[in-house]
Amino acid sequence: MSMNREAYKLANEIKTEIGAPLDYLMECPSDVEMKRYENHILNKIRKEKRTKRNTFRRASVAACAALILIAGTAFGDEVHAAIKQIGWSIGSALGISEDLADYKEVIHTSTADEGYVITLQEAVVSEEKLVINYTLQREDGQPMETYLTPDGALYINGKNCTGGGGGSAEFLDGEQKILGVVADYHLSDMGIDFSQENEYQIVFYQLGFQDGVKGKWEFAFRADGADLIADTERAAMDNEFVLPDGVKVTLKELTSNDLEQRISYDISGATSYLLMVKAVDKAGNQVEFGVRSQDSKSGYMQNEEVIDDGRLNIHAGAVTMTLYAVKLPEEDGRISDDYVQVGEAFEVRF
């Protein structure tokens, strides 16, 4: 589909706030209406870009009984020649404009095994969260036919840290010789002070989640989230809702920093519903917050649009939020898009 045809397709979907078609905008568009028009198109493009990434999630970080710390790995000249150094940061991996230079730990350490080289590029620590980006290449420099996403275990201060995680992978070159991966680990209820310096170890045991390449790729580094946590802006919330199954949800806080925007909440018990918050700011930016971590007591939702630079402008005035929920599937595992609104919309101010 050509760019012009795609532009017309997007334009035909746009409605003004009072429900008029696009012809209304063509008559006498105000600055606010044109901004909303622009934001609608940008949101459509961001969502299209996300569909091109190979995303993955895992229920928990794989467990392991012990870890041998390594100070470094020696490589022969032929291995060094196979590793292509690229300017690829966590910021560019996530599609955000901020390069997170003030908050990231630059690692650039490579480990080779079974004919593959993994290069751990950078790490960013936030509240109950670790984000890393790394590349995967073959030692012989040949292309890869499939996404061999590494799978393994995370340790913090020598302790295995199981928890939810996910990320996305994409080839960074047209020849499919370099696979770029950004992964995040959700680390709630670990009893760890992430504002302090901690020791992190990551061990990958397999490339690909099914019938993958068995091996061992180990990394160790130190990092803290002190600056990012200190620079996080917070807006207190105390909005209570009751889900269709009777479970009570209390939205507690909206936070925003260069890495992410999230909503934390308490929940009165296990629920059969998946939550989502739709939010819009005074500049017309519309985003969705999806659940990233939840147990029977608490959880948090993350602004899914921050990936690809869709960020709420928290200083433009009040942010209007609406809670939605959809019933989790009982049989086929497919989540419906039939979200229903829960309660009334509300405003949040920083």
Side-chain angles (χ1 to χ4, degrees):
M1 179 179 291
S2 70
M3 180 60 71
N4 287 338
R5 289 180 62 191
E6 183 66 10
Y8 282 123
K9 179 181 177 182
L10 291 173
N12 287 333
E13 296 178 4
I14 296 173
K15 303 288 185 179
T16 66
E17 190 172 26
I18 61 175
L22 184 61
D23 291 343
Y24 175 84
L25 287 176
M26 301 305 293
E27 292 176 3
C28 52
S30 68
D31 291 341
V32 173
E33 287 163 343
M34 288 306 297
K35 182 61 178 177
R36 291 194 177 118
Y37 178 88
E38 175 186 341
N39 285 331
H40 184 94
I41 292 178
L42 289 176
N43 285 335
K44 287 288 185 181
I45 292 173
R46 288 163 186 151
K47 290 180 180 179
E48 176 67 19
K49 285 172 64 180
R50 283 201 302 277
T51 63
K52 296 180 181 179
R53 291 197 179 106
N54 181 29
T55 60
F56 62 90
R57 289 180 183 269
R58 48 185 175 271
S60 63
V61 180
C64 181
L67 172 71
I68 301 176
L69 298 180
I70 59 172
T73 303
F75 289 91
D77 291 340
E78 68 280 3
V79 178
H80 276 298
I83 302 172
K84 293 184 179 180
Q85 299 299 324
I86 56 175
W88 185 64
S89 67
I90 283 182
S92 60
L94 291 176
I96 58 179
S97 57
E98 292 82 358
D99 67 2
L100 302 168
D102 295 334
Y103 309 114
K104 65 189 178 185
E105 182 74 22
V106 179
I107 302 167
H108 287 302
T109 298
S110 299
T111 301
D113 194 15
E114 297 298 323
Y116 289 87
V117 181
I118 297 178
T119 302
L120 183 59
Q121 305 275 359
E122 299 171 349
V124 173
V125 178
S126 184
E127 293 179 88
E128 301 181 337
K129 188 170 188 176
L130 169 68
V131 182
I132 60 173
N133 70 315
Y134 52 90
T135 58
L136 172 68
Q137 302 172 63
R138 290 180 49 152
E139 286 189 63
D140 59 12
Q142 294 302 304
M144 290 175 283
E145 296 182 357
T146 60
Y147 288 83
L148 293 176
T149 306
D151 188 26
L154 168 69
Y155 300 81
I156 303 177
N157 302 327
K159 180 188 297 185
N160 177 272
C161 293
T162 57
S168 63
E170 60 182 327
F171 285 106
L172 304 180
D173 62 330
E175 297 177 313
Q176 295 192 181
K177 293 183 177 181
I178 306 175
L179 181 68
V181 183
V182 58
D184 54 80
Y185 299 85
H186 310 306
L187 306 169
S188 58
D189 299 324
M190 297 292 178
I192 298 172
D193 184 356
F194 291 98
S195 67
Q196 302 297 315
E197 185 178 74
N198 295 291
E199 187 175 82
Y200 296 83
Q201 298 94 35
I202 298 174
V203 186
F204 296 116
Y205 294 104
Q206 181 171 296
L207 306 180
F209 293 114
Q210 293 182 345
D211 300 323
V213 179
K214 305 291 185 181
K216 197 171 187 178
W217 298 263
E218 302 181 62
F219 301 91
F221 59 92
R222 289 181 170 273
D224 70 80
D227 291 338
L228 186 58
I229 293 173
D231 291 343
T232 299
E233 298 187 75
R234 306 172 187 276
M237 305 162 62
D238 191 22
N239 301 86
E240 295 185 357
F241 302 89
V242 178
L243 300 179
D245 59 1
V247 174
K248 185 172 73 174
V249 175
T250 305
L251 304 183
K252 302 295 294 183
E253 186 179 50
L254 171 64
T255 61
S256 177
N257 57 39
D258 283 359
L259 177 65
E260 63 181 357
Q261 292 180 320
R262 68 164 69 176
I263 297 172
S264 60
Y265 60 91
D266 293 336
I267 190 166
S268 64
T271 179
S272 58
Y273 283 82
L274 181 66
L275 306 178
M276 176 183 67
V277 166
K278 291 185 179 182
V280 57
D281 62 24
K282 293 299 183 181
N285 298 304
Q286 301 180 43
V287 305
E288 295 179 0
F289 287 78
V291 173
R292 284 302 183 95
S293 178
Q294 178 181 303
D295 55 29
S296 61
K297 295 181 179 180
S298 63
Y300 79 85
M301 289 175 273
Q302 180 174 297
N303 177 1
E304 305 293 359
E305 310 295 341
V306 165
I307 298 176
D308 297 320
D309 225 14
R311 180 178 294 270
L312 287 173
N313 185 345
I314 60 174
H315 300 297
V319 176
T320 301
M321 295 191 168
T322 308
L323 179 66
Y324 292 83
V326 64
K327 189 172 178 59
L328 293 170
E330 297 179 357
E331 297 180 356
D332 61 7
R334 297 180 181 179
I335 298 177
S336 169
D337 289 329
D338 297 329
Y339 281 84
V340 296
Q341 182 173 335
V342 180
E344 300 297 325
F346 60 96
E347 291 188 343
V348 178
R349 291 180 180 272
F350 277 80

